[in-house]
Amino acid sequence: MKFIWDGGEVTGTWDVPESGTRAALILGHGAGSDYRAKLLQAVAAGMASRGIATLRFNFPYTEAGKKMPDPQLKLEACFRAVAEKVASQITPVFLGGKSLGGRIASHVAASGFDAAGLVFLGYPLHPPGKPDKIRDAHLPGIACPMLW
């Protein structure tokens, strides 16, 4: 399935419960992967078995076949657009992801998206090779629950 947003379109796929949806979880992938990552598939299958529909999607750079992630603002804009589309159909909505996907989800929540909670499948506290640059300043301002 394709999600169209201001910056183009990205591919995603739903894992849906067989009997009724109680909530939605949107998962972004890690920097070196895509929406088909085995971890994301396993989490999505587990959520579906518990009544939670899960959407896994690609970020634009992955969609374009690039290795290097897009700038943070572009990643956030994409995640937000996907989240808003899902929230118009299903509530409550949880945001999350593996590493990069989780970090971007947290920025989307910190910038005002009304997430029911955040699910981190790993969180990169600092950029690779830069342990002195901690990326957590926005986290205390997030009001929803966070699962690490």
Side-chain angles (χ1 to χ4, degrees):
M1 110 182 300
K2 295 286 186 177
F3 284 88
I4 299 172
W5 63 291
D6 294 356
E9 67 179 31
V10 293
T11 302
T13 190
W14 279 101
D15 294 271
V16 296
E18 290 183 22
S19 59
T21 297
R22 299 181 357 211
L25 170 62
I26 304 167
L27 293 175
H29 58 79
S33 190
D34 67 14
Y35 78 98
R36 298 169 298 182
K38 291 192 184 306
L39 173 63
L40 298 185
Q41 289 181 37
V43 169
M47 292 293 107
S49 73
R50 291 162 177 82
I52 299 171
T54 303
L55 174 70
R56 299 175 281 121
F57 73 96
N58 275 340
F59 285 112
Y61 76 95
T62 307
E63 197 73 16
K66 297 178 183 175
K67 300 282 185 200
M68 187 69 148
D70 293 311
Q72 181 171 319
L73 291 179
K74 185 172 184 177
L75 298 171
E76 286 180 38
C78 175
F79 204 125
R80 177 179 288 279
V82 170
E84 288 174 351
K85 176 71 173 173
V86 170
S88 73
Q89 301 168 13
I90 303 170
T91 57
V93 173
F94 294 82
L95 307 179
K98 168 70 171 104
S99 194
L100 170 74
R103 183 170 63 84
I104 298 304
S106 71
H107 281 281
V108 170
S111 67
F113 182 83
D114 188 21
L118 294 173
V119 178
F120 299 114
L121 307 173
Y123 186 93
L125 283 172
H126 58 79
K130 298 181 182 178
D132 56 318
K133 185 178 180 187
I134 304 297
R135 300 186 285 200
D136 66 349
H138 66 292
L139 294 176
I142 297 174
C144 66
M146 294 181 257
L147 176 64
W148 298 84

